[in-house]
Amino acid sequence: MGPDGLRIGAGVEGVVYGLGGGRVAKVWNGRPPAGLALTRRVYADLARHHLPFATPEIFEVEDHGASW
């Protein structure tokens, strides 16, 4: 378990932690993907449509520098 959540998955890109309330945090191995800004806009557009199923949305991105 991480300091703020339960580890729920890991893969090539990084580790995902469950934070509760339907929220997760992803910690990338290295830097986040280059297209993250576009992905964030697409997810935000989807969220505005109040679809009858869950869609991801990026609320915050933090860069803590290299951690290896």
Side-chain angles (χ1 to χ4, degrees):
M1 183 158 170
D4 295 311
L6 178 65
R7 181 179 166 155
I8 59 174
V12 175
E13 291 184 332
V15 181
V16 178
Y17 295 93
L19 303 178
R23 289 187 174 207
V24 298
K26 182 169 185 177
V27 179
W28 279 280
N29 296 328
R31 292 203 152 312
L36 188 59
L38 175 59
T39 302
R40 188 176 191 166
R41 287 195 310 268
V42 169
Y43 287 169
D45 287 344
L46 286 171
R48 280 194 284 277
H49 291 283
H50 306 289
L51 299 170
F53 50 86
T55 60
E57 189 171 359
I58 300 171
F59 293 105
E60 184 177 347
V61 176
E62 295 181 18
D63 184 352
H64 293 275
S67 59
W68 54 86

